[in-house]
């Protein structure tokens, strides 16, 4: 459910003018989701994870997050000056 909340926060903030502080916070939150995705990919390679309902729900939450991340920071209506967010993502995720 945290991934859903991060998606909603990023999506809501992407529709308004955000300050540098908000972009840094978004960068931290998004980095956590991207780290969760890495964990999810490692977990899916285990034989016991095949068809896990929990992992399927987490994948749906990740898709929800990406939908709002794309709208806020990548799509046509994205905030062009979101350099702080991408800098924070590079710092946290490499």
């Amino acid at each position: 459910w945290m991934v859903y909340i991060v998606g909603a926060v990023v999506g809501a903030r992407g529709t308004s003018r955000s300050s540098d502080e908000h972009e840094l916070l978004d960068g931290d939150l998004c980095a956590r989701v991207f780290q969760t995705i890495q964990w999810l990919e490692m977990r899916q390679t285990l034989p016991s994870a095949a068809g896990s309902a929990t992992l399927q729900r987490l994948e749906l939450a990740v898709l929800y997050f990406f939908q709002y991340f794309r709208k806020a920071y990548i799509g046509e209506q994205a905030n062009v000056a979101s350099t702080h967010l991408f800098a924070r993502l590079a710092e946290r995720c490499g």
Side-chain angles (χ1 to χ4, degrees):
W1 53 268
M2 281 303 269
V3 177
Y4 280 113
I5 292 173
V6 172
V9 167
V10 168
R13 195 164 299 138
T15 59
S16 64
R17 299 300 286 170
S18 61
S19 67
D20 295 344
E21 182 180 326
H22 288 149
E23 283 190 19
L24 291 174
L25 179 61
D26 279 357
D28 286 334
L29 291 172
C30 292
R32 301 276 180 166
V33 173
F34 291 131
Q35 291 168 349
T36 302
I37 292 169
Q38 289 175 339
W39 175 85
L40 182 63
E41 288 176 346
M42 288 186 331
R43 186 84 172 127
Q44 286 179 333
T45 60
L46 299 175
S48 62
S52 170
T54 303
L55 292 180
Q56 289 175 359
R57 285 191 293 271
L58 184 55
E59 286 178 357
L60 289 174
V62 167
L63 289 174
Y64 177 85
F65 164 78
F66 275 131
Q67 175 184 2
Y68 285 100
F69 181 81
R70 180 184 57 82
K71 286 181 183 178
Y73 292 106
I74 298 174
E76 298 164 356
Q77 300 169 352
N79 182 2
V80 178
S82 57
T83 55
H84 297 290
L85 173 113
F86 292 112
R88 182 59 62 106
L89 281 176
E91 175 186 312
R92 299 273 190 227
C93 297

